[in-house]
Amino acid sequence: GHGDLRGIPPAVARIVTLLADALFLAVADKLLLLLVCEYPEDVLVKPTLGLDASIVCWEGQHAWVAAFSLVAFGLYLPLSVMIAPMITEAETTQEETDRESKRAKNKKVKDVQFAKPFLSMMTVSKCFLVIVVSFFGADSLEVSIVATAFISILMGFLTFKWYTTAQPQPVP
């Protein structure tokens, strides 16, 4: 059916899961840092890249690097938000199917599944954090702290709500 991934090699699934979940903040941050430019007060002075003040923004080599970064981020974000949760859930379902016969002999075990919308919401929250910190918190530690605290509280709340509303189901 729609949204049901099958036939993905386990190595590819693990790489996508690693890039989309564990390394999301690092990869997204690096892709966005290539777009962060510092604009001086004097309008006659050209903006420079936040990472390296010797590089003029949106000209020469930076134009190509920025274009690559935008395209990569445009592909990476949907992969992380929409495709990776389906791969994670498909892996979990397959592992449970493999172990189902072993569990049938034992007593019923409760298991919590993280559904696709929950995983997507977590990734969108992390993306919001990366964007806020990259573009607005570069010069201000306070902005970074407030954004991180807000997203942490939001993710904690969403996790708690998800856990209390998505009741674990007995595994036959």
Side-chain angles (χ1 to χ4, degrees):
H2 178 71
D4 189 19
L5 295 176
R6 294 188 181 153
I8 295 176
V12 172
R14 284 187 177 39
I15 289 170
V16 169
T17 302
L18 178 68
L19 283 173
D21 291 334
L23 297 176
F24 178 81
L25 291 175
V27 172
D29 182 51
K30 298 313 175 231
L31 289 173
L32 290 177
L33 280 177
L34 296 172
L35 303 173
V36 176
C37 295
E38 294 182 14
Y39 291 86
E41 300 270 336
D42 185 3
V43 293
L44 298 176
V45 177
K46 294 184 178 184
T48 58
L49 186 62
L51 293 174
D52 185 358
S54 68
I55 298 175
V56 177
C57 280
W58 316 116
E59 292 181 4
Q61 181 184 5
H62 182 256
W64 290 101
V65 170
F68 170 78
S69 179
L70 280 172
V71 169
F73 190 74
L75 295 172
Y76 181 66
L77 187 60
L79 172 77
S80 298
V81 173
M82 295 182 284
I83 297 172
M86 290 190 292
I87 291 173
T88 303
E89 194 166 275
E91 275 185 350
T92 305
T93 304
Q94 182 60 40
E95 289 172 4
E96 286 180 359
T97 303
D98 293 344
R99 289 181 272 168
E100 189 173 299
S101 60
K102 294 178 185 175
R103 288 186 178 177
K105 296 177 183 177
N106 300 333
K107 61 182 182 178
K108 294 186 178 188
V109 178
K110 290 189 175 185
D111 197 8
V112 176
Q113 294 295 315
F114 292 101
K116 298 169 200 170
F118 175 77
L119 294 172
S120 295
M121 180 69 72
M122 290 293 110
T123 304
V124 168
S125 299
K126 291 186 280 186
C127 182
F128 176 76
L129 175 64
V130 169
I131 290 171
V132 167
V133 171
S134 293
F135 289 105
F136 303 110
D139 297 328
S140 172
L141 182 61
E142 292 83 14
V143 171
S144 298
I145 291 171
V146 169
T148 303
F150 174 75
I151 292 299
S152 297
I153 290 168
L154 177 67
M155 291 173 85
F157 174 75
L158 290 173
T159 303
F160 178 76
K161 278 303 266 183
W162 190 266
Y163 181 75
T164 57
T165 57
Q167 296 298 319
Q169 300 297 319
V171 176

